[in-house]
Amino acid sequence: MTTTAPGIDAALDLVVADRGGQRREGQHAMARAVGEALEGRTPLLVEAGTGTGKSFAYLVPAVLRAVTKSERVVVSTATLALQRQILTKDLPAVAGALADALPRPAEVALLKGWHNYACKHKVSGGYPEETGALFELEPAAEHPATDGDEGLGAQVVRVREWAAETETGDRDELVPGVGDRAWRQVSVTKMDCIGQRCPLLAECFPERARVAAKEADVVVTNHAMLGIAASGSPNVLPEHHALIVDEAHELVGRSRSAATAELSGPSIDRTARMVRRHAGVVVASLEECAQQLAAAIIAVPPGRLPDGPTPQLTEVITLLAAACREALSATKPSGGGGGAGDGGVQMARSALTVALEIADRLLSDNVAQRRDVLWCDERSDGSKRLFVAPLEVAGLVADHLFADHAVVLTSATLRIGGQFTPAAHEVGLHDPAGYRELEVPAPFDYGKQAIRYVARALPTPAAGGGGPEALAEIVGLLEASRGGCLGLFSSRRAAERAAEHVREVTDLPVLCQGEDSIGELVRAFREDAEASLFGTLSLWQGVDVAGLTNRLVIIDRIPFPRPDDPVVQARSEVAASRGANAFLSVSAAHAALLLAQGTGRLIRATTDRGVVAILDSRIATARYGGFLLRSLPPMWPTTDPAVARSALRRLAQEAVDGAGVDRTSRAESDVDA
């Protein structure tokens, strides 16, 4: 074994050679830039297209740095697919190829949120509230499962049996999976965990994961954990030198979600019942607040509350804050604890703490000062809830995630309108001199491999889905391609309507989101050259189907955010107040990112060919069309439907006849989502 580790270029060559791959200069350029960022702590933003091998480009310098300098590196992803790839494929490949060149083996750990692990104390009956649900549900329960016809009761029985045998407690290792309701029977959130008082602490799955993370060289986690850390709980991550964020275009959204809070009458009523049941304390003022809050929220019209809570809401929320403080005082443990009821008391106090934090947040001037956005949401059953979210998370991310760390942000779609600046500003990198940019183009000849067809002659699409002209266009394209289409729609209803229409007027098989799990739908799509798959946002990102099986991508409309979205409204107002173009900087930027992700579903390997059909004429006729197009791969453009259909007919002949289709060859693709 050598005593001196190789340089980044030599190490990357070792890994690629071990995998049977070929040297890619863009991959080496990115690896060197990542190594410099880890050493010099200047944040790095890298847009690395599909097929560039970006995972190895950051993992090789990460492993070298972590092992040779004893400086822990945290790697975060947005999707489960990429997390699994890194943990089970890419990191083992890097560690294995470099084993003889490193002074010691690289230690790797996986870290997820508390509720992703089974709780042994809860499974053993340590949380009284849930005991009945866990042990009394019959397999014949009527609630549908997410993995077929299995009912809720059967899922609970199965997950309980698994929890007694698993070595990791990790939900993702339960195959087939179960729905959220069943999983809640065997898991707890961090707030509900009784911590050091737990009698099964030594066997605790999430605690073991955190111990392993504190000892590992490279820790793989997800953006949800980063969002929690950015929201003010940085200790959820182990101490680390560097943070590498893959799928970085998702970081802001996940951080905002983690910092979004909900308040309703029923949630306070549940909290009051928990206090009564587990702590044996009756706080009449808290129970009264639940009723008063529900009545006050019902009187609020759905939508954004730009000036903060109404006077009636403010009065009730003030009383709620006082009631929560009274209940917390009444339930404060008098001794060291450790009894059987401690779990329930902890759950009650955690719920009270959350309610108090939300109440204090709503009573502050954050909404009036445009730091928070407050809105009322109405459900289909007529019930209403309040939500509050941060307007921007740049400060949170910069202060809690990036400060005092080396940072690398990478994605296949990081630039907006051809610029890194919008993405940098959203994470608090406002000074161009304070970060470095790098573009690593995909190794594809988009001009020869793909056609971008814009249906310029179609009318502007309606909000609820395409009209008869758009449906006819979809049928014409599918008949020319003989299926092989990934249809990306702006709404579930639009996808279902299109699927129904294609089934009615053609003999082509169409799979539609909601008819099975996403994984099963994608598998069926991949295996049938004539099948098409229609769906919404879940398919716009992360679907990876190479070869002529996926030869047509249809996008029904520009994916602008809803104009009545409260956060979009507030961000637009702030952008306008700063002199920026509110539409371009908020709505168009959002659409550009999703369009880039959607069009990126087509070309996944150097042998792929196909057509992206955008059925929204505004991308060709509106002034903002050029801004959107600058975010897309440079495919050969046309607005002539005859050109698109002619190309599809040729590809269909190859695909359906089996010529040129290689569903398994992915040597040059790094599965970059």
Side-chain angles (χ1 to χ4, degrees), residues 268-314:
I268 299 303
D269 182 60
R270 286 193 297 272
T271 299
R273 285 189 279 112
M274 290 173 67
V275 172
R276 179 195 292 265
R277 180 181 301 116
H278 298 308
V281 175
V282 178
V283 182
S285 58
L286 187 63
E287 297 178 346
E288 293 172 4
C289 280
Q291 300 176 5
Q292 295 174 7
L293 181 63
I297 295 177
I298 283 293
V300 177
R304 183 175 159 225
L305 303 174
D307 299 319
T310 64
Q312 182 184 6
L313 276 175
T314 299

Side-chain angles (χ1 to χ4, degrees), residues 255-257 259-260 361 371-373 388-393 396 567:
S255 296
R256 183 176 285 114
S257 293
T260 298
R361 185 172 172 182
R371 291 189 290 268
D372 273 344
V373 183
V388 59
L391 180 62
E392 296 179 345
V393 297
L396 296 174
V567 176

Side-chain angles (χ1 to χ4, degrees), residues 9 12-13 16 22-33 51-53 57 438-441 443:
D9 284 292
L12 183 55
D13 283 336
V16 171
Q22 297 180 343
R23 182 184 178 95
R24 286 174 275 189
E25 293 305 324
Q27 186 182 46
H28 276 262
M30 177 176 173
R32 290 191 295 269
T52 56
L438 178 64
E439 178 194 358
V440 183

Side-chain angles (χ1 to χ4, degrees), residues 30 58 92 207 215 292 303 608 646:
M30 177 176 173
Y58 62 71
E207 192 65 38
E215 298 173 352
Q292 295 174 7
D608 287 353
S646 176

Side-chain angles (χ1 to χ4, degrees), residues 450-456 458 473-474 476-478 485-489 540 551-558 595 598-599 602 610-617 619 635 638 640-641 644-645 648:
I451 294 173
R452 184 184 66 235
Y453 163 57
V454 177
R456 185 187 182 101
L458 288 181
E473 185 74 29
I474 291 172
L477 290 167
L478 259 67
C485 170
L486 178 64
L488 306 177
F489 293 83
W540 285 71
R551 53 192 174 273
L552 170 63
V553 170
I554 291 178
I555 296 175
D556 72 328
R557 58 182 288 128
I558 299 171
L595 274 176
T599 57
L602 181 67
V611 174
V612 169
I614 303 175
L615 308 187
D616 193 328
S617 57
I619 204 167
M635 299 176 176
T638 184
D640 187 343
R645 296 183 190 190
L648 288 169

Side-chain angles (χ1 to χ4, degrees), residues 180-240:
D180 289 342
R181 292 185 64 192
W183 182 253
R184 283 197 294 270
Q185 306 302 323
V186 297
S187 66
V188 298
T189 65
K190 176 59 176 173
M191 286 291 291
D192 291 337
C193 177
I194 62 177
Q196 296 300 312
R197 298 199 308 276
C198 179
L200 299 179
L201 181 64
E203 304 172 40
C204 176
F205 290 127
E207 192 65 38
R208 286 181 181 177
R210 274 141 190 81
V211 170
K214 291 178 181 179
E215 298 173 352
D217 297 302
V218 179
V219 178
V220 181
T221 188
N222 54 59
H223 290 6
M225 291 291 287
L226 298 192
I228 295 171
S231 298
S233 301
N235 290 334
V236 301
L237 300 175
E239 291 187 8
H240 55 283

Side-chain angles (χ1 to χ4, degrees), residues 89-104:
K89 177 182 174 184
D90 294 347
L91 262 175
V94 171
L98 299 181
D100 292 338
L102 293 175
R104 60 176 176 80

Side-chain angles (χ1 to χ4, degrees), residues 339-396:
D342 281 353
V345 175
Q346 178 66 24
M347 290 170 65
R349 287 182 57 81
S350 295
L352 286 168
T353 300
V354 170
L356 177 58
E357 290 174 349
I358 297 172
D360 285 343
R361 185 172 172 182
L362 293 179
L363 293 173
S364 70
D365 63 353
N366 285 351
V367 175
Q369 296 296 321
R370 300 296 187 263
R371 291 189 290 268
D372 273 344
V373 183
L374 175 66
W375 70 94
C376 177
D377 176 72
E378 184 174 18
R379 288 180 167 179
S380 57
D381 61 2
S383 63
K384 293 181 178 180
R385 302 167 294 170
L386 294 178
F387 286 92
V388 59
L391 180 62
E392 296 179 345
V393 297
L396 296 174

